[in-house]
Amino acid sequence: MNIKVSVIIPVYNAEKYVIPCLDSLTSQTLKACEFIFVNDGSIDQSGQIIEDYSKNDPRIKLIHQENKGVSMARNAGLQAAVGEFIGFVDADDYIETDMYATLYNAALEGNCDVVISNFESEIEGHKVITRYPFPLQSILAREYIEREILTYFLKSDQLNTACNKLYKRKVIHDNDLKFPEKVALGEDGLFNMQFFRHALSAMYIDYTGYHYREVAGSATRNILEKDYFKRALEVYTLEISDWSISYIDPMKIKQLRSIRLINSVMAYAYVYLKSSNELSFSQRLKYVSQMIANPHVREALPFFYNEVYGTLGRYEKFIVDMIHRRSIIGLYCGATYSKLRNKSY
């Protein structure tokens, strides 16, 4: 059987969620798939669970490696993959049974190097579908990829994930594309930037087959373990040549990166200022104070006001104004209001 889609699933201590993930993969209506699980040094029963499943389904492949991180796990999967296209799933998430049939058929229909779809996530108990402002069901040619998709990575991190896309393996193989191995955060985005740099055609479909699972406490825990704001600053200050889009006007790049940075600051301020048992109130206030006083944030604000502010709702405008005024009390009140408003829905 010719493998149409290789799905790569990095696994680290995911025993609580890996069975629903396995079930959603093995029940795919597209049968010509292989499912490459890379057990990245798990110390729970994840590996054993996958091994048990593999005895009844030869499409499941299991690679064991020492704990090296998600990027190296995915790269190990890429080395082993033989499918015409590549997909990625995280072990604590699940997908619709027709996801890879839908994406694969779209790729064939348009003879595309990559297909982009929506994804569903949970934010404080509310299901949210992320969509993109790209033309639907159309072949997006190289010119559009350069003008709209690559620049979208500059102004937003919503397209970063590798899990809502299907990639032609030949493009990955011919250009020796890998996930960056020494990057603490944002490895998906950097991989995507490299892939879309080489892609000749893409398609965006209005289909939601991927479901991110909200793991209890994960947002707060992750933001403490990994300094997201530091990563946002690294993205903001990257040399233009590193983005592979030096053909775009530098001032436009500055505008887009400024929008992305301020959007990130708005999100991180909320996460830090809402109630948390992980950090004391004074620690959280100190972090947010340093964040909104950062020189790069102050530099980005005027661009954000010029390009985006007029399109925002009242709550978002209030938050941006509080960042501009460096008002911790205002931001705290905004975070409290938003939390209460979300609970009331």
PDB file of all heavy atoms in Angstrom, residues 25 47 54-55 68 80 96 109 122 165 197 214 216 219 239 285 296 305:
ATOM      1  N   LEU A  25      -6.875   8.770  15.434  1.00  0.00           N
ATOM      2  CA  LEU A  25      -5.991   8.516  14.296  1.00  0.00           C
ATOM      3  C   LEU A  25      -6.348   7.215  13.592  1.00  0.00           C
ATOM      4  O   LEU A  25      -6.487   7.177  12.362  1.00  0.00           O
ATOM      5  CB  LEU A  25      -4.530   8.473  14.767  1.00  0.00           C
ATOM      6  CG  LEU A  25      -3.913   9.816  15.160  1.00  0.00           C
ATOM      7  CD1 LEU A  25      -2.622   9.608  15.943  1.00  0.00           C
ATOM      8  CD2 LEU A  25      -3.639  10.673  13.921  1.00  0.00           C
ATOM      9  N   GLY A  47       4.449   4.903  26.235  1.00  0.00           N
ATOM     10  CA  GLY A  47       5.073   4.001  25.271  1.00  0.00           C
ATOM     11  C   GLY A  47       4.409   2.636  25.235  1.00  0.00           C
ATOM     12  O   GLY A  47       4.188   2.065  24.152  1.00  0.00           O
ATOM     13  N   SER A  54      -0.201  -0.881  18.627  1.00  0.00           N
ATOM     14  CA  SER A  54       0.504  -1.218  17.381  1.00  0.00           C
ATOM     15  C   SER A  54       0.385  -2.702  17.040  1.00  0.00           C
ATOM     16  O   SER A  54       0.511  -3.090  15.877  1.00  0.00           O
ATOM     17  CB  SER A  54       1.976  -0.812  17.478  1.00  0.00           C
ATOM     18  OG  SER A  54       2.671  -1.649  18.382  1.00  0.00           O
ATOM     19  N   LYS A  55       0.138  -3.534  18.056  1.00  0.00           N
ATOM     20  CA  LYS A  55      -0.011  -4.976  17.807  1.00  0.00           C
ATOM     21  C   LYS A  55      -1.257  -5.275  16.983  1.00  0.00           C
ATOM     22  O   LYS A  55      -1.331  -6.297  16.293  1.00  0.00           O
ATOM     23  CB  LYS A  55      -0.065  -5.733  19.133  1.00  0.00           C
ATOM     24  CG  LYS A  55       1.255  -5.694  19.898  1.00  0.00           C
ATOM     25  CD  LYS A  55       1.092  -6.253  21.306  1.00  0.00           C
ATOM     26  CE  LYS A  55       2.396  -6.108  22.090  1.00  0.00           C
ATOM     27  NZ  LYS A  55       2.225  -6.495  23.518  1.00  0.00           N
ATOM     28  N   LYS A  68      14.634  14.571  24.249  1.00  0.00           N
ATOM     29  CA  LYS A  68      15.393  15.583  23.506  1.00  0.00           C
ATOM     30  C   LYS A  68      14.543  16.786  23.138  1.00  0.00           C
ATOM     31  O   LYS A  68      15.026  17.727  22.534  1.00  0.00           O
ATOM     32  CB  LYS A  68      15.976  14.970  22.226  1.00  0.00           C
ATOM     33  CG  LYS A  68      16.949  13.823  22.466  1.00  0.00           C
ATOM     34  CD  LYS A  68      17.403  13.226  21.142  1.00  0.00           C
ATOM     35  CE  LYS A  68      18.354  12.059  21.367  1.00  0.00           C
ATOM     36  NZ  LYS A  68      18.759  11.448  20.072  1.00  0.00           N
ATOM     37  N   ALA A  80      11.797   9.144   9.412  1.00  0.00           N
ATOM     38  CA  ALA A  80      11.190   7.826   9.221  1.00  0.00           C
ATOM     39  C   ALA A  80      10.014   7.849   8.247  1.00  0.00           C
ATOM     40  O   ALA A  80       9.632   6.805   7.709  1.00  0.00           O
ATOM     41  CB  ALA A  80      10.718   7.276  10.574  1.00  0.00           C
ATOM     42  N   GLU A  96     -10.778  14.926  14.011  1.00  0.00           N
ATOM     43  CA  GLU A  96     -11.975  14.335  13.420  1.00  0.00           C
ATOM     44  C   GLU A  96     -11.578  13.174  12.506  1.00  0.00           C
ATOM     45  O   GLU A  96     -10.498  13.171  11.915  1.00  0.00           O
ATOM     46  CB  GLU A  96     -12.749  15.386  12.618  1.00  0.00           C
ATOM     47  CG  GLU A  96     -13.319  16.517  13.455  1.00  0.00           C
ATOM     48  CD  GLU A  96     -14.406  16.054  14.410  1.00  0.00           C
ATOM     49  OE1 GLU A  96     -15.195  15.152  14.025  1.00  0.00           O
ATOM     50  OE2 GLU A  96     -14.458  16.575  15.541  1.00  0.00           O
ATOM     51  N   GLU A 109      -6.642  18.010  -5.234  1.00  0.00           N
ATOM     52  CA  GLU A 109      -7.506  18.820  -6.092  1.00  0.00           C
ATOM     53  C   GLU A 109      -6.762  20.042  -6.634  1.00  0.00           C
ATOM     54  O   GLU A 109      -6.891  20.396  -7.808  1.00  0.00           O
ATOM     55  CB  GLU A 109      -8.721  19.272  -5.274  1.00  0.00           C
ATOM     56  CG  GLU A 109      -9.684  20.202  -6.001  1.00  0.00           C
ATOM     57  CD  GLU A 109     -10.699  20.822  -5.057  1.00  0.00           C
ATOM     58  OE1 GLU A 109     -11.022  20.180  -4.028  1.00  0.00           O
ATOM     59  OE2 GLU A 109     -11.162  21.938  -5.331  1.00  0.00           O
ATOM     60  N   GLU A 122      -9.713  25.381  23.345  1.00  0.00           N
ATOM     61  CA  GLU A 122     -10.510  25.821  24.486  1.00  0.00           C
ATOM     62  C   GLU A 122      -9.783  26.929  25.214  1.00  0.00           C
ATOM     63  O   GLU A 122      -8.594  26.810  25.515  1.00  0.00           O
ATOM     64  CB  GLU A 122     -10.768  24.660  25.456  1.00  0.00           C
ATOM     65  CG  GLU A 122     -11.853  23.721  25.020  1.00  0.00           C
ATOM     66  CD  GLU A 122     -12.243  22.751  26.124  1.00  0.00           C
ATOM     67  OE1 GLU A 122     -12.059  23.084  27.306  1.00  0.00           O
ATOM     68  OE2 GLU A 122     -12.722  21.658  25.790  1.00  0.00           O
ATOM     69  N   LYS A 165      -2.178  21.626   9.356  1.00  0.00           N
ATOM     70  CA  LYS A 165      -1.703  21.709   7.966  1.00  0.00           C
ATOM     71  C   LYS A 165      -1.308  20.333   7.460  1.00  0.00           C
ATOM     72  O   LYS A 165      -1.054  19.408   8.244  1.00  0.00           O
ATOM     73  CB  LYS A 165      -0.501  22.667   7.883  1.00  0.00           C
ATOM     74  CG  LYS A 165      -0.814  24.079   8.367  1.00  0.00           C
ATOM     75  CD  LYS A 165       0.434  24.956   8.370  1.00  0.00           C
ATOM     76  CE  LYS A 165       0.128  26.346   8.900  1.00  0.00           C
ATOM     77  NZ  LYS A 165      -0.168  26.327  10.356  1.00  0.00           N
ATOM     78  N   ARG A 197       8.488  29.421   2.558  1.00  0.00           N
ATOM     79  CA  ARG A 197       9.492  30.080   1.715  1.00  0.00           C
ATOM     80  C   ARG A 197       9.729  29.279   0.440  1.00  0.00           C
ATOM     81  O   ARG A 197      10.031  29.837  -0.620  1.00  0.00           O
ATOM     82  CB  ARG A 197      10.799  30.223   2.508  1.00  0.00           C
ATOM     83  CG  ARG A 197      11.958  30.813   1.739  1.00  0.00           C
ATOM     84  CD  ARG A 197      13.239  30.697   2.555  1.00  0.00           C
ATOM     85  NE  ARG A 197      14.401  31.078   1.783  1.00  0.00           N
ATOM     86  CZ  ARG A 197      15.648  30.787   2.128  1.00  0.00           C
ATOM     87  NH1 ARG A 197      15.882  30.106   3.229  1.00  0.00           N
ATOM     88  NH2 ARG A 197      16.656  31.163   1.394  1.00  0.00           N
ATOM     89  N   GLU A 214      -7.446  21.478  26.276  1.00  0.00           N
ATOM     90  CA  GLU A 214      -6.988  22.379  27.330  1.00  0.00           C
ATOM     91  C   GLU A 214      -6.602  21.532  28.546  1.00  0.00           C
ATOM     92  O   GLU A 214      -7.445  20.933  29.191  1.00  0.00           O
ATOM     93  CB  GLU A 214      -8.083  23.370  27.726  1.00  0.00           C
ATOM     94  CG  GLU A 214      -7.616  24.392  28.749  1.00  0.00           C
ATOM     95  CD  GLU A 214      -8.742  25.362  29.118  1.00  0.00           C
ATOM     96  OE1 GLU A 214      -9.868  24.903  29.366  1.00  0.00           O
ATOM     97  OE2 GLU A 214      -8.473  26.558  29.158  1.00  0.00           O
ATOM     98  N   ALA A 216      -5.420  21.094  32.265  1.00  0.00           N
ATOM     99  CA  ALA A 216      -5.648  21.933  33.448  1.00  0.00           C
ATOM    100  C   ALA A 216      -4.370  22.628  33.891  1.00  0.00           C
ATOM    101  O   ALA A 216      -3.344  22.001  34.107  1.00  0.00           O
ATOM    102  CB  ALA A 216      -6.181  21.073  34.589  1.00  0.00           C
ATOM    103  N   ALA A 219      -1.764  26.726  30.760  1.00  0.00           N
ATOM    104  CA  ALA A 219      -1.395  28.075  30.296  1.00  0.00           C
ATOM    105  C   ALA A 219      -0.523  28.779  31.322  1.00  0.00           C
ATOM    106  O   ALA A 219       0.526  29.330  30.994  1.00  0.00           O
ATOM    107  CB  ALA A 219      -2.653  28.887  30.024  1.00  0.00           C
ATOM    108  N   GLU A 239      16.818  39.533  12.799  1.00  0.00           N
ATOM    109  CA  GLU A 239      17.247  40.208  11.580  1.00  0.00           C
ATOM    110  C   GLU A 239      16.289  39.865  10.434  1.00  0.00           C
ATOM    111  O   GLU A 239      15.790  38.742  10.347  1.00  0.00           O
ATOM    112  CB  GLU A 239      18.666  39.760  11.199  1.00  0.00           C
ATOM    113  CG  GLU A 239      19.752  40.243  12.146  1.00  0.00           C
ATOM    114  CD  GLU A 239      19.928  41.744  12.111  1.00  0.00           C
ATOM    115  OE1 GLU A 239      19.764  42.336  11.021  1.00  0.00           O
ATOM    116  OE2 GLU A 239      20.198  42.335  13.173  1.00  0.00           O
ATOM    117  N   LEU A 285       2.892  41.329  39.414  1.00  0.00           N
ATOM    118  CA  LEU A 285       2.887  42.765  39.109  1.00  0.00           C
ATOM    119  C   LEU A 285       4.248  43.217  38.608  1.00  0.00           C
ATOM    120  O   LEU A 285       4.345  44.015  37.661  1.00  0.00           O
ATOM    121  CB  LEU A 285       2.500  43.569  40.350  1.00  0.00           C
ATOM    122  CG  LEU A 285       1.045  43.490  40.817  1.00  0.00           C
ATOM    123  CD1 LEU A 285       0.812  44.449  41.969  1.00  0.00           C
ATOM    124  CD2 LEU A 285       0.072  43.804  39.684  1.00  0.00           C
ATOM    125  N   HIS A 296      11.411  47.968  23.684  1.00  0.00           N
ATOM    126  CA  HIS A 296      10.855  47.479  22.417  1.00  0.00           C
ATOM    127  C   HIS A 296       9.336  47.613  22.388  1.00  0.00           C
ATOM    128  O   HIS A 296       8.749  47.913  21.347  1.00  0.00           O
ATOM    129  CB  HIS A 296      11.264  46.025  22.186  1.00  0.00           C
ATOM    130  CG  HIS A 296      12.735  45.829  21.962  1.00  0.00           C
ATOM    131  ND1 HIS A 296      13.411  46.434  20.927  1.00  0.00           N
ATOM    132  CD2 HIS A 296      13.645  45.115  22.663  1.00  0.00           C
ATOM    133  CE1 HIS A 296      14.691  46.088  20.980  1.00  0.00           C
ATOM    134  NE2 HIS A 296      14.853  45.291  22.023  1.00  0.00           N
ATOM    135  N   TYR A 305      -0.903  51.619  17.353  1.00  0.00           N
ATOM    136  CA  TYR A 305      -1.976  52.626  17.363  1.00  0.00           C
ATOM    137  C   TYR A 305      -2.349  53.035  15.937  1.00  0.00           C
ATOM    138  O   TYR A 305      -3.528  53.153  15.596  1.00  0.00           O
ATOM    139  CB  TYR A 305      -1.534  53.860  18.161  1.00  0.00           C
ATOM    140  CG  TYR A 305      -1.900  53.800  19.624  1.00  0.00           C
ATOM    141  CD1 TYR A 305      -0.975  53.409  20.583  1.00  0.00           C
ATOM    142  CD2 TYR A 305      -3.185  54.122  20.072  1.00  0.00           C
ATOM    143  CE1 TYR A 305      -1.303  53.332  21.935  1.00  0.00           C
ATOM    144  CE2 TYR A 305      -3.527  54.062  21.412  1.00  0.00           C
ATOM    145  CZ  TYR A 305      -2.589  53.669  22.339  1.00  0.00           C
ATOM    146  OH  TYR A 305      -2.927  53.604  23.662  1.00  0.00           O
TER     147      TYR A 305
END
